[in-house]
Amino acid sequence: MGLFSRRNNESAVAVADLPVDPALAALTGEYTIDPAHSSIGFTVRHAMVTNVRGTFADHEGTLKLDGTDPAASTARIDVRIASVDTGIADRDAHLRGEDFFDAERFPLMTFRSTGAAQLGGDTYRITGDLTIKDVTRPLSIDLEFNGAATDVYGNERVGFEGSAEILRSDWGLTWNAALETGGVMVSDKVKLTFDISAIRNAG
């Protein structure tokens, strides 16, 4: 079931001329991300030999899905930087400090979507603006639509999972340390991961 309209070289066929999928149209509405069943994380190479993984526990966001005009669907996510958790308290404090995120001055990381395209099947690319430390740059996130369901409490849910890769230096996150054997302590490339469950708003 497609969620966003396909945009490619075959776009001569207007979306308005295509029949509306009833199952897709039924998803139209506004949704709130459920932080208890969602995860926003990252993976970064450490000392050139292993990966460090972390999450941001405190986040919120909304999705607006339009099943009759899927290209009009939007996403908004706010992440509180101070909630970073890599499992090591000293490392988390370093990440929150001035060398990295400077969470006291720049408490939020935000994403605001600007467009969407279907890559095939239930896989999509969401484009938008990612802001870290007051630096805003474009970001593309590849997502898989995992489906929709009603949970045991009667909540109507939709689910997505996906990832994106960024260079942290593009957002001013440049701290590093040289290794005696060559290379650096922390890679510039960072993988962002998203596992999202969102609940349809009442009314």
Side-chain angles (χ1 to χ4, degrees):
M1 175 173 58
L3 183 61
F4 298 96
S5 61
R6 183 185 298 272
R7 293 179 180 175
N8 54 26
N9 293 333
E10 298 175 0
S11 60
V13 178
V15 173
D17 295 335
L18 300 176
V20 175
D21 182 344
L24 176 60
L27 297 179
T28 297
E30 296 187 1
Y31 296 76
T32 298
I33 293 175
D34 176 9
H37 296 94
S38 301
S39 175
I40 296 176
F42 61 91
T43 303
V44 62
R45 199 78 166 165
H46 176 262
M48 310 293 290
V49 298
T50 190
N51 290 318
V52 168
R53 293 176 173 82
T55 60
F56 295 95
D58 188 354
H59 58 268
E60 63 181 19
T62 58
L63 308 175
K64 183 178 180 181
L65 306 183
D66 190 329
T68 59
D69 182 13
S73 299
T74 61
R76 178 191 67 82
I77 300 175
D78 292 340
V79 176
R80 190 159 295 279
I81 293 297
S83 70
V84 65
D85 182 5
T86 65
I88 303 295
D90 288 346
R91 182 166 59 207
D92 296 342
H94 192 196
L95 289 172
R96 288 191 292 267
E98 294 181 4
D99 283 343
F100 284 96
F101 289 109
D102 198 357
E104 189 169 319
R105 291 180 60 205
F106 308 102
L108 290 180
M109 173 172 62
T110 66
F111 177 77
R112 302 290 185 267
S113 68
T114 56
Q118 184 178 13
L119 302 181
D122 285 332
T123 304
Y124 307 89
R125 179 164 293 155
I126 309 303
T127 56
D129 294 323
L130 176 67
T131 300
I132 305 173
K133 297 181 71 172
D134 279 359
V135 177
T136 300
R137 294 180 62 88
L139 176 70
S140 294
I141 305 172
D142 288 349
L143 290 170
E144 182 176 354
F145 175 51
N146 287 338
T150 302
D151 66 23
V152 295
Y153 302 104
N155 298 311
E156 298 179 61
R157 292 180 179 267
V158 292
F160 302 86
E161 61 180 315
S163 63
E165 288 190 351
I166 66 170
L167 297 179
R168 60 188 178 91
S169 59
D170 287 343
W171 281 266
L173 302 172
T174 57
W175 183 91
N176 227 321
L179 302 175
E180 291 184 5
T181 54
V184 292
M185 181 69 73
V186 184
S187 67
D188 192 18
K189 184 170 68 174
V190 179
K191 181 179 181 180
L192 304 177
T193 56
F194 306 86
D195 199 342
I196 302 297
S197 178
I199 298 173
R200 187 197 294 266
N201 297 345

